[in-house]
């Protein structure tokens, strides 16, 4: 019998982003939003398979957090409950959280090209000999802008003849010497301006300052706003968590890299309320848990790194000086570097204290064992992007394999794969479609099954490889006589014959063991 090992070691060749984006459109994972109107920058729609993939990741997170939370250091299961809060909340909540005053990015505009940049995403090449223009280049240079600009404005000097600085580190007095990306003249960049990332809207019939509200820029605040209600209505005791999955909106200056940075996206966040003395321990606990979880859904451990935020990156709430640890993934557009997938933040008692002050509602926790002991809990927050997670899973699964007609396959773990198996009659006649439909009806209660009847079989296999279906089940002429089918394994392309009566048990076992 052929070797049926499913976990063929993954090719480490990094796929091209263009190919991933094209596959997503061609097979129905992700489309540009309002595609027929030319799209809308920073907005994306999930197609039939992308929705299944996203829902699978979402459900696995919910299960790992809320349904079967991890076992804690004391050997007992942790307590985590879920909420689903409004996207629009009382605007005072966003004043208290610091988002109205501080949720902004420094931006610069180019007067010549009318392009807008995040100042902290531009680098400046400064000639060491002081001669000639200072050349601004994007930090994540996807299209080789830097080399082109150097050739055009570098006066024949190589990169070694320049010092490199981030734009925010350059004095605005020196802006007159800078030539912006794509510009032809020097001195066209404006000074950085703070730009608030929250989308505004109005509640009710009149549009005035009084009716102004915001689309939430994170799901976390909806949890803090419900902390008191959850505490009063459920039986949770410190330490415990509240989890939420949902949409968040940020009017990002430069949405880019497909769904990596979009203006509407989904987050999976959990606020872990604990005593301040234990917060550092829990931050470590959750960092390890979360990295293992990404591995459990198919992300290679060595494609991720943990990065502790530097002092200059500390968030407004990180008052204890213990900041965020990011779990970063090696995306095709960051390689050989890494980009943030999830942050595990130590929010201290910042949010609850702020909401207590602004709302006048007490946020103290009273220890039920000792009524004298009142404190505002500290919070450790594993905050992941669901849509960024979808992108990560797509990038990780994309496996180049020139030996097959599709040239690649999606190596999804079955748990995230949109379809677990496809039933394919060899030809659309002679009773084969009927038997295929019967098998489909029998399996579909147990797993997501695709039934694909027409087209040549090679093309149908190629399609299933592209959408990452672990198993193809082919019904042929013999199936009608001997009640057997052929199973084709996605990763190895090995085929074997199996009795239809054993099919369900076989698939359940193989999918679990993948
Ligand atoms: P960045 O520094 O990249 O702007 P952040 O550190 O502000 O992101 P958080 O506020 O910690 O991000 O959000 C938690 C998670 O939400 C991020 O790790 C990321 O996965 C996701 N996320 C944040 N902004 C976006 C976005 N614009 N598009 C898609 N996902 C996002």
């Amino acid at each position: 019998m052929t070797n049926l090992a499913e976990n063929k070691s993954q090719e480490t060749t990094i796929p091209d982003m263009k190919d991933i984006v094209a596959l997503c459109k061609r097979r129905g994972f992700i489309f540009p939003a309002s595609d027929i109107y030319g799209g809308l920058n920073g907005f994306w729609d999930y197609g039939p398979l992308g929705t299944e993939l996203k829902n699978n990741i979402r459900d696995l997170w919910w299960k790992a957090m809320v349904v079967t939370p991890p076992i804690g250091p004391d050997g007992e299961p942790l307590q985590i409950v879920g909420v689903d809060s409004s996207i629009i909340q009382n605007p005072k909540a966003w004043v208290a959280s610091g988002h109205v005053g501080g949720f902004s990015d420094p931006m610069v505009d180019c007067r010549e090209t009318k392009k807008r940049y995040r100042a902290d995403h531009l680098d400046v090449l400064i000639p060491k000999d002081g001669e000639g223009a200072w050349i601004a280049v994007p930090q994540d240079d996807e299209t080789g802008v830097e080399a082109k600009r150097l050739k055009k404005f570098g006066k024949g000097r190589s990169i070694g003849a320049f010092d490199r600085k981030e734009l925010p580190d350059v004095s605005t007095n020196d802006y007159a010497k800078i030539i912006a990306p794509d510009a032809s003249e020097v001195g066209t960049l404006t000074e950085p301006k703070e730009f608030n990332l929250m989308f505004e809207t109005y509640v009710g019939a009149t549009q005035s300052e009084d009716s102004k509200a915001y689309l939430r820029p994170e799901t976390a605040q909806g949890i803090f706003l419900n902390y008191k209600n959850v505490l009063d209505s459920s039986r949770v005791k410190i330490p415990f968590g509240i989890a939420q999955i949902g949409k968040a909106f940020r009017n990002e200056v430069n949405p880019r890299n497909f769904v990596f940075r979009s203006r509407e996206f989904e987050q999976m966040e959990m606020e872990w309320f604990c005593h301040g003395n234990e917060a550092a321990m829990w931050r470590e606990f959750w960092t390890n848990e979360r990295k293992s979880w990404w591995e459990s859904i198919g992300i290679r451990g060595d494609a991720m790194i943990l990065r502790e935020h530097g002092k200059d990156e500390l968030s407004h709430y990180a008052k204890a000086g213990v900041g965020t640890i990011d779990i970063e993934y090696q995306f095709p557009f960051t390689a050989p570097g890494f980009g943030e997938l999830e942050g595990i933040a130590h929010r201290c008692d910042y949010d609850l204290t702020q909401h207590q002050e602004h709302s006048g509602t007490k946020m103290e926790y009273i220890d039920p064992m000792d009524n004298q002991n009142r404190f505002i809990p500290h919070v450790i927050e594993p905050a992941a992007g669901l849509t960024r997670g979808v992108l990560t899973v797509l990038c990780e699964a994309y496996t180049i394999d020139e030996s097959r007609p599709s040239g690649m396959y999606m190596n999804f773990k079955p748990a995230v794969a949109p379809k677990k198996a496809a039933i394919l009659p060899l030809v659309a006649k002679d009773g084969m479609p009927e038997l295929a439909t019967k098998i489909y009806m029998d399996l579909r209660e147990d797993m997501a099954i695709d039934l694909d009847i027409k087209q040549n079989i090679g093309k149908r296999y190629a399609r299933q490889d592209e959408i990452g279906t672990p198993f193809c089940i082919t019904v042929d002429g013999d199936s009608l006589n001997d009640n057997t089918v052929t199973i084709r394994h996605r990763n190895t392309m090995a085929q074997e014959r199996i009795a239809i009566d054993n099919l369900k048990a076989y698939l359940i076992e193989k999918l679990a063991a993948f």
Side-chain angles (χ1 to χ4, degrees):
M1 200 155 101
T2 23
N3 172 18
L4 295 177
E6 305 300 346
N7 299 320
K8 191 181 119 176
S9 74
Q10 177 140 22
E11 306 270 341
T12 42
T13 322
I14 293 175
D16 197 317
M17 236 9 243
K18 281 200 299 298
D19 295 333
I20 296 177
V21 175
L23 174 86
C24 283
K25 172 126 196 221
R26 189 167 71 247
R27 290 305 185 192
F29 285 98
I30 302 173
F31 308 122
S34 312
D35 204 8
I36 57 172
Y37 291 101
L40 182 62
N41 196 7
F43 296 89
W44 299 91
D45 289 345
Y46 287 74
L49 296 172
T51 306
E52 303 266 1
L53 176 63
K54 178 154 70 68
N55 289 353
N56 290 343
I57 298 171
R58 177 197 70 187
D59 294 348
L60 287 163
W61 186 91
W62 193 259
K63 177 158 193 299
M65 286 300 198
V66 180
V67 183
T68 56
I71 305 299
D74 62 357
E76 297 293 324
L78 303 180
Q79 299 174 83
I80 305 180
V81 293
V83 294
D84 187 2
S85 71
S86 259
I87 283 171
I88 295 179
Q89 299 280 356
N90 188 318
K92 288 181 192 154
W94 302 110
V95 176
S97 68
H99 286 86
V100 170
F103 191 57
S104 54
D105 282 332
M107 304 212 332
V108 291
D109 289 308
C110 174
R111 291 187 205 92
E112 181 186 329
T113 63
K114 308 289 176 223
K115 290 193 180 165
R116 174 165 275 193
Y117 305 94
R118 249 175 85 167
D120 56 339
H121 286 175
L122 284 184
D123 279 352
V124 183
L125 306 177
I126 304 170
K128 286 182 178 157
D129 61 8
E131 293 293 314
W134 295 16
I135 308 169
V137 290
Q139 265 167 12
D140 58 345
D141 184 14
E142 288 160 59
T143 46
V145 175
E146 182 170 319
K148 282 187 223 136
R149 304 299 280 166
L150 202 60
K151 201 162 164 208
K152 192 159 174 197
F153 298 102
K155 298 194 164 174
R157 289 169 298 194
S158 68
I159 191 78
F162 294 84
D163 286 323
R164 189 179 197 111
K165 260 193 190 172
E166 277 199 4
L167 184 61
D169 297 336
V170 172
S171 153
T172 46
N173 295 334
D174 289 324
Y175 272 37
K177 302 177 196 153
I178 299 177
I179 179 145
D182 298 326
S184 56
E185 290 173 31
V186 291
T188 59
L189 281 185
T190 61
E191 287 187 18
K193 279 193 297 282
E194 290 296 322
F195 170 81
N196 196 296
L197 299 185
M198 282 198 292
F199 280 100
E200 293 176 2
T201 186
Y202 297 93
V203 174
T206 45
Q207 299 201 352
S208 68
E209 270 305 299
D210 290 343
S211 62
K212 191 154 97 182
Y214 305 95
L215 304 194
R216 69 179 176 204
E218 60 175 29
T219 53
Q221 291 306 321
I223 295 178
F224 295 120
L225 295 173
N226 282 293
Y227 157 81
K228 187 95 180 62
N229 279 338
V230 170
L231 207 55
D232 293 347
S233 62
S234 62
R235 302 180 64 79
V236 288
K237 291 197 213 55
I238 292 276
F240 71 94
I242 307 180
Q244 166 153 249
I245 299 177
K247 294 251 181 180
F249 303 81
R250 296 182 188 177
N251 198 0
E252 296 280 0
V253 180
N254 274 322
R256 65 189 183 288
N257 294 327
F258 199 26
V259 299
F260 178 83
R261 186 175 300 288
S262 42
R263 290 179 165 142
E264 175 174 341
F265 54 99
E266 279 177 78
Q267 292 186 307
M268 309 186 286
E269 299 197 291
M270 195 272 292
E271 308 304 317
W272 180 252
F273 299 94
C274 60
H275 196 283
N277 295 342
E278 294 191 331
M281 180 275 282
W282 284 115
R283 188 182 75 140
E284 197 180 326
F285 175 89
W286 280 113
T287 304
N288 295 334
E289 277 296 322
R290 295 300 308 142
K291 181 156 183 278
S292 310
W293 182 81
W294 287 109
E295 287 175 32
S296 78
I297 67 161
I299 313 298
R300 281 165 301 137
D302 58 6
M304 291 182 281
I305 53 161
L306 298 178
R307 191 180 69 86
E308 176 98 43
H309 276 203
K311 286 243 167 346
D312 53 333
E313 294 173 278
L314 290 184
S315 313
H316 54 281
Y317 47 74
K319 66 178 182 190
V322 185
T324 298
I325 297 181
D326 284 344
I327 301 177
E328 298 191 336
Y329 174 72
Q330 191 176 52
F331 291 97
F333 47 84
T334 57
F338 295 77
E340 176 178 337
L341 168 60
E342 170 162 359
I344 292 91
H346 184 178
R347 295 184 80 120
C348 304
D349 56 359
Y350 175 83
D351 302 87
L352 290 180
T353 306
Q354 286 292 108
H355 288 303
Q356 173 168 289
E357 277 172 19
H358 285 247
S359 69
T361 304
K362 281 254 175 289
M363 297 289 178
E364 284 175 338
Y365 178 80
I366 305 165
D367 193 331
M369 310 298 278
D370 167 9
N371 273 351
Q372 304 306 310
N373 192 6
R374 291 160 181 260
F375 61 95
I376 295 196
H378 281 221
V379 171
I380 300 300
E381 174 199 72
L386 169 55
T387 42
R388 203 176 274 186
V390 170
L391 178 64
T392 307
V393 169
L394 285 166
C395 293
E396 183 74 4
Y398 194 105
T399 309
I400 296 163
D401 179 0
E402 303 293 354
S403 74
R404 52 182 92 199
S406 52
M408 54 74 63
Y409 63 99
M410 291 303 268
N411 186 12
F412 289 131
K413 273 238 178 183
V416 298
K419 302 289 176 195
K420 316 303 175 197
I423 321 286
L424 315 171
L426 190 60
V427 288
K429 56 180 184 188
D430 302 336
M432 292 178 219
E434 290 76 8
L435 180 55
T437 305
K438 190 168 164 286
I439 298 173
Y440 162 76
M441 290 306 290
D442 182 43
L443 292 176
R444 67 175 200 170
E445 293 292 334
D446 293 274
M447 60 195 83
I449 299 282
D450 200 18
L451 174 65
D452 191 3
I453 293 186
K454 292 215 175 99
Q455 208 182 32
N456 106 19
I457 191 76
K459 287 204 172 132
R460 279 182 286 161
Y461 281 154
R463 174 170 190 278
Q464 297 299 336
D465 280 348
E466 287 196 345
I467 71 175
T469 308
F471 296 103
C472 284
I473 295 150
T474 309
V475 174
D476 56 22
D478 290 343
S479 306
L480 299 160
N481 302 324
D482 64 5
N483 234 14
T484 62
V485 284
T486 299
I487 296 196
R488 173 184 181 272
H489 296 242
R490 177 193 67 201
N491 290 13
T492 59
M493 291 188 284
Q495 301 198 3
E496 61 176 327
R497 202 77 188 167
I498 179 164
I500 295 172
D501 289 347
N502 300 337
L503 188 57
K504 189 184 283 185
Y506 178 94
L507 285 175
I508 289 172
E509 188 200 318
K510 287 285 171 193
L511 288 167
F514 221 97

